[in-house]
Amino acid sequence: MTTEYLLDQEVGHVLAALTMQNRLIVRVILHTGMRISDVLALKTSDLKPSGWYTEQKTGKRRRYGLPAPLLAAIKAQAGPVWAFPGRLSPLKHKTRQAVWADLKRASRAFRMPQNVGTHSARKVYAVDLMAKYGDIERVQRALNHDSPSVTMIYAMADQLLQRKLAARERRSARRRKAGPRI
């Protein structure tokens, strides 16, 4: 099952319910559009206001930028090697599964109907870029996608979620109108 977009209010709820380190990780995704594996692969020595990294999934080079307050917060909790050290050993970085489990816990706490995962933050990033620039090619470049059709799925994730929620509400209203089943 694919992860889904989060509305602004839901992003705030999820961020508030995450552990401090996982909140920082998701904030990096929201600000840069990086994939979780790339965020977790950031080394403490790489923590700068901006820089280049090679995407683990695609092997493509990509530029990132971090605002000063976010960068300072990351540095304050960074380990000797990894920007986001693992719980058991500072010599290993945090795992994707640990972040995923915390996101699932947070979304369940707020009874969110959509499937929430780390990629949900990447979709929020894409929707925000599309709203800001209105240019699908710019969003495509920012996400490093090969295909504009894939980028459209991300950039229109808010509209897809709204349609899904509206359909769910219509079904619910029909059931309420039909009355109880005997």
Side-chain angles (χ1 to χ4, degrees):
M1 177 182 266
T2 60
T3 58
E4 296 172 293
Y5 176 78
L6 294 172
L7 303 170
D8 288 342
Q9 176 181 337
E10 294 168 331
V11 170
H13 290 325
V14 168
L15 285 174
L18 294 174
T19 64
M20 184 191 80
Q21 189 181 56
N22 291 337
R23 184 177 315 122
L24 285 173
I25 290 166
V26 173
R27 285 180 56 205
V28 170
I29 298 169
L30 288 167
H31 187 78
T32 65
M34 294 170 79
R35 290 179 179 88
I36 184 69
S37 56
D38 297 321
V39 173
L40 296 177
L42 287 172
K43 292 190 173 183
T44 303
S45 59
D46 296 334
L47 293 176
K48 299 174 188 121
S50 66
W52 290 89
Y53 69 99
T54 302
E55 291 180 329
Q56 290 183 17
K57 181 178 178 182
T58 66
K60 297 177 187 174
R61 300 257 308 144
R62 186 164 179 249
R63 189 159 181 75
Y64 72 90
L66 297 171
L70 180 56
L71 182 59
I74 296 167
K75 284 182 176 181
Q77 60 81 58
V81 178
W82 301 103
F84 299 102
R87 185 175 51 90
L88 301 176
S89 170
L91 301 178
K92 294 182 178 181
H93 63 66
K94 186 167 200 128
T95 66
R96 293 178 303 113
Q97 294 83 353
V99 180
W100 180 86
D102 199 24
L103 271 167
K104 290 298 182 184
R105 180 196 53 76
S107 67
R108 278 193 307 270
F110 289 101
R111 294 187 171 104
M112 294 181 177
Q114 62 269 56
N115 183 29
V116 178
T118 55
H119 225 62
S120 297
R122 192 163 148 90
K123 291 178 180 180
V124 170
Y125 172 78
V127 167
D128 288 350
L129 277 184
M130 188 65 177
K132 185 175 181 178
Y133 299 112
D135 181 358
I136 195 66
E137 290 176 0
R138 189 168 186 167
V139 178
Q140 181 181 352
R141 281 191 311 275
L143 294 174
N144 239 351
H145 283 161
D146 287 330
S147 165
S149 60
V150 172
T151 305
M152 285 300 286
I153 293 168
Y154 284 68
M156 298 182 72
D158 58 334
Q159 296 170 36
L160 297 171
L161 177 64
Q162 292 292 1
R163 287 183 187 143
K164 183 177 180 178
L165 294 175
R168 185 177 291 154
E169 181 56 36
R170 285 190 302 274
R171 285 191 304 273
S172 218
R174 281 194 301 266
R175 276 190 232 117
R176 284 191 303 271
K177 190 175 179 181
R181 291 183 175 177
I182 299 178

